[in-house]
Amino acid sequence: MAFPFVLAGCGSTSVQPQPAKEENKPAIEERKELQTEKDEYHKSVGSLTVSKDTFESDKAEILRTIESLKTIMSDFDYQSWLLYVDNESKIYWSKTANLKKAQGKLPIKGLQLRTLQDYFKYVFVPSRAGRNITTIRYESENYVKAVQVTSLDSSETEEKYTVYYYFNKIDGHWQLHLPEIDS
């Protein structure tokens, strides 16, 4: 007789998932996301005195600009592209000697760079097509690199990223900067 009671007792105790654990899951994910954002902020600004709000605002503006540039590049719209380029870059890259230096470093030999428009068409657009720019890294409060971060292997300790754009803050707006060629 005791046996049926044991079975009944065992049958009446069922294991129910505890909702408290389900509620903790989003909280843990939210904390991880906040930590990732905090880490991203610190990686981006380094030792500079850039507020988190300024970082977020700058990053949003630069990423919007890059989205606009993607459309411009897909249309090979040189005139629209020029509106984003800072004057210093336009002057430097309009000089024949600088275009010749760049021409010598191209992987495609025999390609002639005679104008800034050639640079746009044969260098700028192809080197950035299909890239996924995810964040920025400050060089100074007014000079930023827009980068694509590559994932880390477990054996690596430093983040790896590729720089695809540089931006100068001029009169409160971020303008595309085309770095000079090292001699």
Side-chain angles (χ1 to χ4, degrees), residues 139-150:
E139 292 289 306
S140 72
E141 291 178 18
N142 294 313
Y143 193 65
V144 168
K145 302 180 288 191
V147 302
Q148 179 177 345
V149 177
T150 56

Side-chain angles (χ1 to χ4, degrees), residues 2 4 10 24 38-39 50 53 84 116 140 145 147 149 163 166 176 182:
C10 289
N24 287 340
K38 184 178 176 184
D39 292 346
V50 175
D53 288 341
Y84 289 88
L116 181 56
S140 72
K145 302 180 288 191
V147 302
V149 177
V163 179
Y166 293 88
L176 185 61
D182 295 331

Side-chain angles (χ1 to χ4, degrees), residues 47-61:
S47 62
L48 297 173
T49 54
V50 175
S51 73
K52 187 164 179 147
D53 288 341
T54 299
F55 161 70
E56 289 173 359
S57 173
D58 288 346
K59 179 180 173 182
E61 181 181 346

Side-chain angles (χ1 to χ4, degrees), residues 1-15:
M1 295 254 182
F3 184 67
F5 289 113
V6 172
L7 285 177
C10 289
S12 66
T13 58
S14 61
V15 178

